[in-house]
Amino acid sequence: MCLPARGGLIQYWRSFEDLERFARNLADAHLKAWQRFNQAIGADSSVGIWHET
């Protein structure tokens, strides 16, 4: 039986403000990649984001 690949990633941020600053930085290289990823993955539920605040 061949199961789909699974993985996980955990990130810890100093503060919500630091995370927000990173996520909204239009000059940061991660933004274009994140936008392309979200467009490619769509809403097929194959990726989920869990967070605690």
Side-chain angles (χ1 to χ4, degrees):
M1 175 178 5
C2 183
L3 298 175
R6 298 181 190 270
L9 173 72
I10 298 174
Q11 291 184 342
Y12 294 96
W13 292 85
R14 283 183 294 256
S15 67
F16 180 77
E17 290 75 20
D18 284 342
L19 171 58
E20 190 83 353
R21 191 172 18 263
F22 170 77
R24 297 186 184 280
N25 184 353
L26 298 177
D28 201 319
H30 85 280
L31 189 58
K32 288 266 188 211
W34 186 242
Q35 289 169 336
R36 281 193 310 270
F37 174 77
N38 281 325
Q39 288 172 348
I41 208 72
D44 71 358
S45 301
S46 62
V47 174
I49 296 176
W50 174 79
H51 64 88
E52 50 182 58
T53 53

